[in-house]
């Protein structure tokens, strides 16, 4: 019998930003209430695909953990763990990598884009991390995976690898299905043509969930819009204002139409402050909880270690059967 199981992960980049929260973490909180088998992983192995100082990575792991706990992830309702504490992820990635052809990986847009940021050299890890993503998912026989638009091709790769494995060794892996976020992709406040990103060199482009109220106000005041003062929603013609409307709707739980109705008569300058205030109200309790959790590093480490023990217990019999199927035992 196939067990309904959800798997998702987040790279430890420190405190998540507004786009991370609205596009992924908020959905995670809801999913842990709906499904009885849910795994969320801090993807520290994936983070090595871009250069990191060890001390920075250690702190980022703790800060990311504190943030997602503060957002409502409950270790009693899911397995929350650090990827590298379950070595079967890497071992399965090797097996799956031997079933994956190079041209498929070279065609993935993430490889082309991130390789460009590494002076077109690109590491083996950067090329093959989608295979590790497939292993992350398949190691637990996951059936559903929350993904953003930019990760759909990687999930399709995981689906194809699962089918290839099943064809070669017999039906074993369920083919995981995507859970697509209903939130519009949150764009940079300084360049609404690109998505909000932690790595954006423009400090005013990205709102972090632990930002102070003053910082949030400043970032929204400086948000790029256009020369029309009316608040409307037209992502193609007015991407900056439309991004603000998307953010406003997502943090308040209102529809785009409801937000527009409330904004009749406001010019964009005043509307920016309305959106900023909504974001401040949304994140005030989360920000306070993050601060409290960051003061207890041992608690954060224990949460991840306890989660890893549970994840290993789930993964071990599945991985042993994979070893038998491929001929290792």
């Amino acid at each position: 019998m196939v067990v309904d199981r959800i798997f998702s992960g987040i790279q430890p980049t420190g405190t998540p930003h507004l786009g991370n929260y609205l596009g992924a973490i908020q959905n995670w909180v809801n999913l842990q209430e709906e499904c009885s088998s849910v795994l969320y992983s801090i993807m520290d192995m994936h983070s090595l695909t871009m250069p990191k100082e060890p001390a920075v990575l250690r702190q980022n792991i703790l800060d990311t953990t504190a943030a997602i706990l503060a957002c409502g992830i409950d270790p009693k309702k899911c397995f929350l763990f650090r990827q590298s504490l379950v070595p079967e992820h890497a071992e399965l990635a090797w097996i799956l990598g031997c079933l994956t052809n190079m041209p498929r990986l070279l065609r993935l847009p993430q490889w082309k884009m991130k390789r460009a940021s590494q002076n077109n050299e690109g590491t083996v890890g950067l090329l093959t991390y989608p295979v590790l993503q497939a292993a992350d998912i398949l190691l637990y026989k996951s059936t559903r995976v929350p993904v953003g638009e930019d990760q759909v091709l990687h999930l399709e790769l995981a689906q194809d690898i699962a089918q290839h494995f099943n064809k070669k060794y017999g039906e074993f892996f369920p083919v995981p299905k995507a859970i697509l976020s209903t939130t519009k992709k949150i764009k940079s406040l300084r360049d609404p043509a690109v998505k909000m990103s932690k790595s954006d060199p423009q400090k005013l482009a990205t709102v972090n969930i632990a930002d102070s109220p003053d910082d949030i106000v400043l970032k929204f005041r400086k948000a790029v819009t256009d020369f029309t003062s009316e608040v409307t929603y037209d992502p193609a013609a007015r991407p900056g204002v439309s991004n603000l409307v998307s953010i406003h709707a997502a943090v308040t739980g209102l529809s785009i139409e409801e937000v527009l109705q409330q904004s009749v008569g406001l010019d964009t300058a005043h509307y920016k402050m309305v959106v900023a205030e909504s974001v401040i109200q949304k994140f005030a309790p989360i920000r306070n909880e993050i601060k409290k959790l960051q003061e207890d590093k041992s608690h954060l480490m224990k949460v991840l270690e306890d989660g890893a023990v549970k994840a290993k217990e789930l993964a071990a019999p599945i991985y042993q059967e994979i070893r038998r199927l491929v001929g290792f035992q």
Side-chain angles (χ1 to χ4, degrees), residues 97-108:
C98 294
L99 300 175
T100 308
N101 66 49
M102 282 284 290
R104 179 70 185 276
L105 296 178
L106 291 167
R107 285 198 301 271
L108 291 170

Side-chain angles (χ1 to χ4, degrees), residues 111-123 126:
W111 160 250
K112 295 175 183 174
M113 183 177 68
K114 291 190 176 179
R115 181 172 171 251
S117 72
Q118 294 186 4
N119 299 320
N120 287 324
E121 291 178 353
T123 62
L126 187 61

Side-chain angles (χ1 to χ4, degrees), residues 1 4 13 23 29 34 42 44 84 106 115-116 152 180 189 209 219 226-227 250 253 297 301 307 313 318:
M1 186 184 77
D4 182 30
T13 55
V29 174
E34 297 170 15
I42 307 292
D44 51 350
S84 65
L106 291 167
R115 181 172 171 251
V152 168
L180 290 169
L189 294 185
I209 63 175
K219 289 176 180 181
D226 52 37
F227 297 109
K297 288 186 178 182
M301 291 165 69
E313 286 174 0
I318 297 171

Side-chain angles (χ1 to χ4, degrees), residues 241-284:
V241 175
S242 299
N243 188 40
L244 296 179
V245 172
S246 293
I247 292 169
H248 191 189
V251 297
T252 57
L254 299 172
S255 68
I256 298 288
E257 292 72 22
E258 288 169 327
V259 163
L260 291 175
Q261 277 182 339
Q262 287 186 3
S263 308
V264 171
L266 286 179
D267 60 30
T268 50
H270 286 97
Y271 182 62
K272 287 178 182 180
M273 294 303 95
V274 170
V275 180
E277 186 56 37
S278 296
V279 172
I280 289 166
Q281 288 183 11
K282 180 74 173 179
F283 289 142

Side-chain angles (χ1 to χ4, degrees), residues 127-141:
L127 176 65
T128 61
Y129 90 88
V131 180
L132 178 57
Q133 281 184 321
D136 298 330
I137 296 163
L138 299 178
L139 178 60
Y140 303 98
K141 289 192 166 182

Side-chain angles (χ1 to χ4, degrees), residues 43-155:
M43 302 299 218
D44 51 350
M45 293 168 69
H46 284 292
S47 71
L48 294 182
T49 58
M50 304 301 274
K52 295 279 188 307
E53 287 297 324
V56 172
L57 178 57
R58 287 186 199 103
Q59 188 60 48
N60 281 353
I61 289 167
L62 295 176
D63 288 346
T64 302
T65 304
I68 61 178
L69 289 172
C71 289
I73 295 300
D74 184 349
K76 295 186 180 71
K77 297 177 180 176
C78 64
F79 295 175
L80 176 62
F81 68 100
R82 189 151 58 91
Q83 180 191 25
S84 65
L85 292 179
V86 184
E88 288 88 346
H89 283 254
E91 293 179 34
L92 179 56
W94 177 258
I95 293 171
L96 300 183
C98 294
L99 300 175
T100 308
N101 66 49
M102 282 284 290
R104 179 70 185 276
L105 296 178
L106 291 167
R107 285 198 301 271
L108 291 170
Q110 295 278 54
W111 160 250
K112 295 175 183 174
M113 183 177 68
K114 291 190 176 179
R115 181 172 171 251
S117 72
Q118 294 186 4
N119 299 320
N120 287 324
E121 291 178 353
T123 62
V124 173
L126 187 61
L127 176 65
T128 61
Y129 90 88
V131 180
L132 178 57
Q133 281 184 321
D136 298 330
I137 296 163
L138 299 178
L139 178 60
Y140 303 98
K141 289 192 166 182
S142 309
T143 56
R144 295 189 287 155
V145 184
V147 290
E149 293 169 28
D150 56 344
Q151 291 293 325
V152 168
L153 289 177
H154 288 190
L155 181 61

